[in-house]
Amino acid sequence: MSSIPRKNGKVRKPSDIDARSSKRRPTALAVLLFSILLLWFLGALYVTTNTPSTHSNNIIGGKMMSPPHQQEIQNHPNIIKLRGANKKRKIVTDNTNIIDMRNLSATLPFEDVDGGVWKQGWDIQPDNNAPLTVFVVPHSHCDPGWIKTFDDYFQSQTKAILTTIVKALHKDPSRKFVWAEISYFEWWWREQSSEMQEITLNLLRNKQLEFVTGGWVQPDEANTQLYAMEIQLEEGHDFIRQTLGDEFIPKYAWSIDPFGYSPTMAFLLNKYGFEGMLIQRVHYAVKKELAKRKHLEFMWRQTWDNTGKHDIFTHVMPFFSYDVPHTCGPDPSVCCQFDFARIKNFGACPWRKNPQVITKDNVKERSMLLLDQYRKKAELYRSNVVIAPLGDDFRYKTEEEAESQFQNYQKIMNYVNDNVENVSIQFGTLGDYFDKVQGTFNVPVLKGSFFTYADRKQDYWSGYFTSRAFDKALDRKLERVLYAAESLGLTKEALRESRRALSLFQHHDGVTGTAKDHVVRDYASRIHNAIRQVQASIIDKLNMDSNTEACWQSDAPRGLSQNLCEGEIKVYNPIETSQYCGGKEVHGYSTKTVELPCEIPRPHVTTLIHFDSLTGLMTHPVQEQWMVWKVREGGAYLFLPGHLIPYEKEEVKVELGGYIVTTPQWKRSVVIHEITDEFGAGHAIVIDFIYETDLQNSNEEWLVRFSSSVKNEGIFHTDLNGFNFDTHYFRKDLPIQSQVFPMPTLASIEDDSQRMTVLSEHAQGTASLEDGSIDVWLDRRLSQDDGRGLFQGVTDNVPTRTRLRLVLEHGGYDTNREFGITPLCRRMWDELNHPLEMFGEWKFKSAHEARVHADESSGLALALKSSLARRAAFDEMTDPEKAMTNPLNENYTGDLYGNVRNGMMTCCKHHFTWMIKTVFSMDIFGQQFDAFALFEEDYVVSPTIYESVVSGLTLLKKLSHEKDAFFGIVMEGRVFNNNYATEGWQVKNFSSGPVALSRHMYESLVVNARDFCTYDDYNWDWSIVHLMNKGLLPSRVLYPTIPQTMHVGIDSGIHGGKAARWQLFTALNAKFPGPFHGTKLVGGTKQANLTVTAPFGGW
């Protein structure tokens, strides 16, 4: 094992890191004497230390809400009494057996040794004579958004799952089930009859159905702040309490899918009176080490807690996943045989040993095979009680599936309970397990977090710390306005819908940025609307006039916000301490009229700042570098580094000597902060770096590196959820991706003389890969999937703003204590996370107009400078007769062919874009459209046109092995006759015409939106052909051998006069073909692509 570097040059040996039991057994007398001495020592320690620990600097803080029913825990440092209806069982903690994850992560070899059937473990030899109790816990993991939106999942899967569960449990009182996601349950409950609701209540009373955690979602624990984590927990508990009853509030937590775990969640659960928690996604090497020590169950202790007051009993599932193959025991090929839902659904077992229906002929052999796995699993724990979850993603949807699981397991249970001594197997809940296991052994202690997670080999899940950075920032915007609203006294009830929008996004495929593109857009739409609702509530609460709006706005859910106000505005300060705008002090919890701008990037008279004269990047007091990881692998979840290179800065514009730097895709402004006298002048520097990035280059990860003279010797600190802190030790023997950590709000390095801390207003990944430096990710774009079930990359990047606040301090901290922030850093954290809320009257009609106005180089911006032009611009845009005099064309010399902007032509492509986006964004009672068909107004169509469109799209689905080989189907035919040989579909290359395409192809268009939108002002079809010629879209389409449409406006358009009327007359009098019923591919030639030599089709 490697040693841990210390700042004083000494090394810490593995034996110093955690207390391990000696292999030599002590004598009974020695044990007795030691026990007496230990009890005496603990008694003395209790007298001197059992007071509330003062750790205000070890916790960042943020607003914490008081739980309505928290019970005080007995103050004894070693014994906690659990609440219970009939009895209280004592848990005895073993304070001589402590693992600190910070130290374990610094010394563990992290070897990936093939362990046999348990690939990441070893060959377990069970004790076949030991008593054993097994609880089989049925569950269904239902993500509130991932591959489908929350609404779509509910309508298509989750609603049926909940109904199936209730009916199945109602049949047999021995059956049990646990449910976690209250967001789904609340919706389902609202739709049920009073009879169904009463059945469900009885199941809860009988403890057949048990809520676990009871939050709105199973939240991510890497990117979230404690504030949002608590809101989602409260939303779930409030529903349970107000609708069902306080007695159904859970006391045990279940977190099987979040990608790593934070002690902040343990703290929060303890605060709310929880007695135990279960977690799953822990690094496989850490699981193995804990299993070897029988440390998979422990009291999870806060690093700053010296008494154990905030401990919570924690169970770590030992194997690869939470699905059935990995929950009964170490051999997945055996466990999979007992996933009886696979008999007719979900596919065969990968190990080619499939489930069998349990009969009287095979029940003995099947039962003993399963029991062997249970016994082996029991060897990894200190008790003789085993929990065996029985479920997977979106399971128990049908009655057949549910009965298959319950009936077959019941036969096994009956056999074992009747024929095997000292063994008991039954269906159970998480509460049944914890009630049985707690108090049966002395519980070891663990401190620290479980980041960064790896599930196999060197696949570290450090990419999701940054994926969809824009949406992580949008999440924090909602948190900020909710915080401000609550500080004004607005109630939970008044903010309920907005709180639930925030809660939903805390889901471990929401704020993580690991959902499908359309799901990301759905989340963003909910948050965007919630922000506006809360802002409106704040305006009402402050009694502002009806023309007042929030200044910072965006005109789209995933659009970059802009300040639409100018001049005099009103601001509200949502924190206790004063903040400033343009030199004016705004006292805590007060409003004030101020003048914009509040801050200006400009040189500072007392702070020595240097910039590089060519690049504009800062060189003093820290060195600023823009960096790019060029990668070939990785996706939404995984970061797999390739080559790290400097960002290629082209067309660099340096202003104010470096305070503003602009490139086509990357902009940065610098703002220096005044430090008030209360923090002491001359001891610190505070600098804001405001980045605006527009990452459109595939397989790149953008970051900024701040380098200093700090000698941190590989020791690096980050925050956990804006509340706790974590400490990391750089290891040269581990891959780079393992040393990237979540940065919800903070990263810091220090030595004895100075500390550099970077604060952020939203979550991202961070690392310290070189001494004296901190890397902060800004965005990432990956063109490939990373094999974790999403089946896509991350290519929907949008312009994103990241504000980083760098605090460089000389003194005021203690390197010999647990890491904690200084009062100055805490103040800077508060102001960054809870800035002044701004309100005023908008100067412009829309954020889009404001952005155009800000671009002083555009002709449109010049036109909009005139108030008359602003009023007339959009009104006259669609009038082609006024093209020459339209303000849009003022100071505009025309396109490549000299044509001025013509509203009629421009709107053609814009209308197509608007229509297709609108259709695929629609959600009607939870259903979304799978395809889109476009017909211009001057088409004559066959009576069988709809049938033909459906037939063609169905054929495309059947060609699923060529998913990306076809753009869609085209229905156009210019010559109507009956001279066709075979009724069916043929292949050609797309050029134009009435087209139908799938959602998948629309998403491909979205990925390439920049090319599509900027290539051509007028022609949607030319733009698509352009993408095809670049290889960005498939060019082949299907078309029917019997033409189903005719474009009668070929020459002059249907509104064009005699020629058009003659063509229409000819078409209607021609022998229109009979019904088309072709369903098969009958051939066709692959024509050469239409060549587009220049944009605008030569117009």
Side-chain angles (χ1 to χ4, degrees), residues 6 98 117 156 244 298 304 345 574 581 736 978 1098:
R6 296 282 292 186
I98 300 176
V117 293
S156 64
L244 306 172
F298 49 82
W304 41 262
N345 299 290
C581 175
I736 294 296
N978 292 316

Side-chain angles (χ1 to χ4, degrees), residues 608-612 615-626 658-659 661 668 670-672 685 687-689 691 705-707 806:
L608 191 62
I609 305 292
H610 294 163
F611 298 95
D612 184 277
T615 66
L617 299 188
M618 187 175 291
T619 58
H620 182 82
V622 296
Q623 183 181 9
E624 172 195 13
Q625 295 172 276
W626 298 358
Y659 279 84
V661 179
R668 189 269 290 136
V670 166
V671 175
I672 309 300
I685 300 171
I687 307 170
D688 276 13
F689 295 81
Y691 295 94
R705 173 172 289 177
F706 298 108
S707 299
L806 189 143

